[in-house]
Amino acid sequence: MPQEFSASTVVLTNGDTIRGSLMLHNELDLLLVTMADGTVRTVPALAVRTFAVSGEIMRFDRLPPQYLNSAAFTPARVRRRWHQVQRARPFLVYAWNHDRDYATSSAPAFFERLNGGPVILLRRQQLVQRAVPWSDATMASGYMMRPAGTPYFYTDVRELLYLGTPEGTIVALRRPKRDLLAYFPAEAAQLEQYAHAHGLDFANSAELARLVDYANSLRQLTASAQ
């Protein structure tokens, strides 16, 4: 399933820049950019240097079931089918082996940048459509009437996290805490202390980004002292 954004700026490898609304097909590493004149340009990762998006379009009628009875999502809000999240999000392109450890080849792929650097926390999101039986107790709702037994489909988001190294390679964070501490062995003890002192969760991508930035600062301090 593609992610949709109302605005984007895409810098191509040939130096050109294009702008417009954008559909990101993560499974294909492909962009569909709708230009100002209404034409749609198809751009593979191979042709992209970097891009940034904003105004992610979220469908209220595809929310996970636990949100349906939440006060934050009243019937009127659910009937507003689309919602735009305006936060700007930068993306980079790295060669990726699709997490096949023994692969002999890789291909350009899109990764969202979550922190500063020089070691960068990267994320790939996958939108997955899941079905929940309408008889499930969590689906009880006075404004979402469906025949008995009709499944409700909602969109779940799966995150894959990586480190982008200064050398231009990526390291998969399959178990974020274990793998991050393994990448920063000299800083591991201080990282754990910092996480504990500030209540940071290695499994939370936003908090993990803070930890990577902290690890970068520790490594830079050590380098400058030598």
Side-chain angles (χ1 to χ4, degrees):
M1 297 177 61
Q3 292 174 276
E4 299 180 56
F5 301 89
S6 62
S8 72
T9 299
V10 182
V11 180
L12 305 179
T13 54
N14 66 6
D16 291 347
T17 299
I18 59 175
R19 294 179 175 83
S21 60
L22 179 146
M23 294 182 68
L24 167 60
H25 290 265
N26 247 325
E27 71 284 1
L28 300 173
D29 288 297
L30 188 72
L31 305 178
L32 296 181
V33 183
T34 301
M35 314 291 282
D37 62 2
T39 59
V40 178
R41 184 160 176 180
T42 301
V43 189
L46 182 64
V48 177
R49 181 177 300 165
T50 183
F51 69 98
V53 294
S54 62
E56 183 174 7
I57 300 172
M58 309 289 288
R59 289 182 59 145
F60 278 133
D61 60 348
R62 291 294 181 265
L63 288 170
Q66 63 266 30
Y67 291 108
L68 289 179
N69 292 319
S70 167
F73 296 98
T74 63
R77 289 182 180 178
V78 171
R79 282 196 295 269
R80 279 170 39 197
R81 189 170 180 176
W82 303 97
H83 173 64
Q84 291 188 356
V85 181
Q86 294 298 330
R87 181 173 60 88
R89 298 165 60 179
F91 286 76
L92 301 172
V93 178
Y94 285 82
W96 184 40
N97 65 1
H98 291 263
D99 292 335
R100 302 185 185 99
D101 291 335
Y102 301 101
T104 58
S105 62
S106 59
F110 297 130
F111 294 85
E112 183 179 359
R113 181 176 191 152
L114 299 182
N115 74 315
V119 178
I120 304 168
L121 181 63
L122 303 169
R123 175 172 69 183
R124 282 179 66 92
Q125 289 185 325
Q126 297 175 339
L127 301 186
V128 182
Q129 191 175 67
R130 303 191 188 280
V132 175
W134 192 247
S135 58
D136 193 299
T138 62
M139 302 302 297
S141 174
Y143 57 85
M144 298 284 285
M145 300 301 295
R146 294 188 180 204
T150 302
Y152 174 84
F153 292 94
Y154 70 97
T155 300
D156 194 11
V157 180
R158 179 172 177 245
E159 287 191 340
L160 302 175
L161 297 172
Y162 303 84
L163 295 178
T165 73
E167 296 75 32
T169 61
I170 62 172
V171 176
L173 299 181
R174 295 185 174 95
R175 294 173 59 183
K177 181 177 181 179
R178 180 200 67 182
D179 295 339
L180 181 66
L181 296 180
Y183 184 82
F184 288 99
E187 297 81 15
Q190 289 172 276
L191 266 177
E192 288 196 274
Q193 293 171 3
Y194 184 83
H196 179 73
H198 294 85
L200 300 178
D201 184 354
F202 284 83
N204 179 292
S205 58
E207 295 175 9
L208 187 63
R210 289 181 58 187
L211 290 167
V212 176
D213 277 336
Y214 182 64
N216 280 323
S217 68
L218 291 174
R219 182 167 285 186
Q220 289 170 342
L221 282 173
T222 301
S224 64
Q226 292 176 346

